[in-house]
């Protein structure tokens, strides 16, 4: 995991009047900077995947079941009812029959398509479609030979991309822990952070907020707010316009959001350093910002390299 820590500011506080709600808004609003424009989304394929005509077609094996991984709610590759050898051969009067977890698959299904050459294609793969699919192929190698039969098995899995996000923590010198000013400040801070990354199609969530009494070295007690936030990219279905540019990839947008958030906290230190008047009652404590990159699967999904060696980064269904 990587962490970043901007420079350190004054922890102590000079005497000053309590910060009013209006002053909190004014103080924080001064630090907001517009985010760099970015729109749409980029559908991320598993690492190592190359989008070519051949990679969109999966052939079977007469020796073992072939594992196929389909991104949840996406169209599947073409699953062929032939082996690699037969794909390059001439087949006379071929016939194809497919069976899935729910029995025989009939052409014309709105979610599953059977092509005239026996390929199986899922239009919108759902978690419930995961299972074993078997194709029965009958054909003549030549006009004069008798019919040959072949059975091919595929195990098709639904998977999701891992959920990437940054988790960051920060501490603020605070009003007394039961003060309404702390609550107002928390709401305004979250509002500003969300606005900061909105144009990057990212969102900030407040994971935890706590107020504690902290005994300072060679000093007395002071009140501090401990915040934990996350910043993540919006789901593709929430993004209004598609984006094919490489800069729209979620990890790139998140990196931009991370940089904006770090700049926002650094600007607070700069503004406080230029103040001639006493410090406000609520202010950011320099050096307390910590940001960590998190890579986790959604609930119900997990990475299992032993079970899925062909897709080691996929979050597969655990059912």
């Amino acid at each position: 995991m990587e962490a970043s820590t901007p420079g350190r500011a004054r922890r102590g506080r000079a005497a000053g009047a309590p910060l009013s709600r209006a002053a909190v808004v004014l103080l924080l609003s001064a630090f907001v900077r517009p985010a760099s424009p970015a729109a749409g989304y980029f559908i991320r394929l598993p690492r190592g995947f190359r989008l070519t005509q051949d990679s969109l077609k999966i052939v079977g094996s007469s020796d073992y079941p072939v594992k196929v991984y389909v991104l949840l709610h996406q169209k599947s590759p073409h699953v062929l009812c032939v082996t690699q050898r037969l794909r390059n051969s001439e087949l006379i009067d071929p016939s194809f029959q497919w069976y899935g977890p729910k029995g025989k698959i009939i052409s014309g299904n709105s979610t599953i398509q059977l092509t005239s050459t026996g390929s199986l294609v899922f239009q919108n793969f759902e978690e419930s479609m995961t299972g074993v699919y078997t194709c029965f192929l009958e054909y003549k190698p030549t006009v004069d030979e008798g019919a040959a039969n072949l059975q091919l098995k595929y195990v098709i899995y639904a998977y999701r991309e891992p959920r990437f996000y940054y988790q960051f923590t920060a501490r603020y010198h605070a009003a007394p822990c039961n003060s309404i000013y702390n609550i107002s400040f928390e709401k305004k801070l979250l509002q500003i952070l969300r606005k900061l990354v909105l144009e990057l199609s990212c969102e900030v969530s407040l994971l935890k907020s706590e107020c504690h009494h902290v005994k300072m070295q060679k000093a007395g007690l002071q009140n501090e707010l401990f915040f934990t936030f996350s910043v993540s990219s919006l789901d593709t279905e929430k993004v209004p316009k598609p984006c094919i540019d490489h800069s729209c990839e979620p990890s790139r947008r998140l990196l931009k959001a991370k940089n904006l958030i770090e700049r926002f906290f650094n600007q607070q230190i700069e503004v406080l350093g230029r103040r001639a008047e006493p410090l406000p009652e609520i202010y950011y404590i320099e050096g307390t910002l910590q940001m960590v990159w998190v890579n986790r699967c959604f609930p119900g999904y997990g990475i299992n390299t032993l079970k899925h060696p062909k897709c080691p980064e996929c979050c597969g269904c655990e059912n």
Side-chain angles (χ1 to χ4, degrees):
M1 296 189 296
E2 57 172 339
S4 57
T5 309
R8 195 159 186 85
R10 299 167 291 179
R11 290 186 61 100
R13 173 181 174 270
L19 190 65
S20 67
R21 182 179 306 183
V24 169
V25 174
L26 181 62
L27 174 64
L28 287 174
S29 297
F31 307 143
V32 178
R33 296 291 183 273
S36 303
Y41 64 91
F42 178 80
I43 299 177
R44 182 177 180 273
L45 296 172
R47 189 176 299 171
F49 189 94
R50 295 294 180 268
L51 194 60
T52 65
Q53 187 64 26
D54 285 340
S55 66
L56 294 174
K57 300 180 185 298
I58 309 296
V59 296
S61 171
S62 57
D63 299 323
Y64 53 84
V66 173
K67 293 183 178 180
V68 182
Y69 301 88
V70 183
L71 190 60
L72 196 65
H73 305 310
Q74 300 297 318
K75 184 177 180 179
S76 74
H78 286 237
V79 183
L80 308 186
C81 189
V82 290
T83 61
Q84 185 62 47
R85 182 183 64 83
L86 290 178
R87 187 185 182 193
N88 299 320
S89 303
E90 187 177 69
L91 306 181
I92 307 297
D93 296 330
S95 65
F96 313 91
Q97 287 191 2
W98 279 95
Y99 290 83
K102 298 181 180 179
K104 187 175 181 179
I105 299 174
I106 302 174
S107 183
N109 191 309
S110 60
T111 58
I112 303 177
Q113 175 190 357
L114 292 180
T115 69
S116 59
T117 56
S119 297
L120 179 68
V121 184
F122 297 90
Q123 299 299 325
N124 182 20
F125 200 78
E126 301 287 346
E127 182 181 316
S128 59
M129 296 176 179
T130 294
V132 177
Y133 289 79
T134 305
C135 177
F136 295 93
L137 168 63
E138 183 176 304
Y139 67 98
K140 291 181 180 181
T142 65
V143 174
D144 298 326
E145 291 185 66
N149 295 280
L150 182 65
Q151 176 180 318
L152 300 175
K153 286 185 178 293
Y154 296 87
V155 186
I156 305 181
Y157 298 95
Y159 80 94
R160 302 186 69 155
E161 293 284 14
R163 181 180 178 229
F164 303 103
Y165 64 94
Y166 279 102
Q167 182 171 300
F168 62 99
T169 58
R171 292 162 64 173
Y172 277 78
H173 188 284
C177 285
N178 59 352
S179 172
I180 191 174
Y181 296 123
N182 292 337
I183 299 175
S184 300
F185 179 85
E186 174 188 308
K187 292 179 179 179
K188 188 60 184 179
L189 177 61
L190 181 60
Q191 178 183 345
I192 290 174
L193 290 171
R194 284 175 171 169
K195 183 179 180 181
L196 197 66
V197 301
L198 182 61
E199 290 188 25
L200 293 170
S201 296
C202 293
E203 60 181 353
V204 173
S205 301
L206 177 62
L207 303 181
K208 186 168 62 174
S209 173
E210 297 177 344
C211 184
H212 294 281
H213 306 295
V214 179
K215 171 66 171 67
M216 306 304 299
Q217 294 181 359
K218 301 180 181 179
L221 290 172
Q222 73 176 28
N223 305 308
E224 291 189 12
L225 290 169
F226 291 67
F227 292 115
T228 301
F229 299 94
S230 69
V231 55
S232 57
S233 62
L234 290 168
D235 294 336
T236 54
E237 58 266 22
K238 295 181 182 179
V239 179
K241 297 186 293 185
C243 177
I244 59 175
D245 190 272
H246 191 49
S247 63
C248 298
E249 185 177 2
S251 60
R252 289 179 174 267
R253 290 189 281 113
L254 281 173
L255 181 59
K256 291 180 181 179
K258 169 183 178 287
N259 293 336
L260 285 174
I261 291 170
E262 287 180 334
R263 188 190 312 165
F264 166 73
F265 281 95
N266 282 328
Q267 287 170 344
Q268 294 181 64
I269 299 167
E270 294 171 5
V271 171
L272 289 174
R274 293 195 297 264
R275 287 174 61 94
E277 60 270 23
L279 289 173
E281 186 164 29
I282 302 178
Y283 62 88
Y284 167 63
I285 299 174
E286 184 181 354
T288 61
L289 177 65
Q290 297 286 333
M291 300 195 75
V292 178
W293 175 251
V294 181
N295 178 352
R296 293 178 181 170
C297 294
F298 285 81
Y301 291 77
I303 294 176
N304 189 331
T305 55
L306 295 178
K307 183 178 180 181
H308 306 296
K310 298 295 185 181
C311 198
E313 295 182 350
C314 296
C315 288
C317 180
E318 295 178 334
N319 294 335

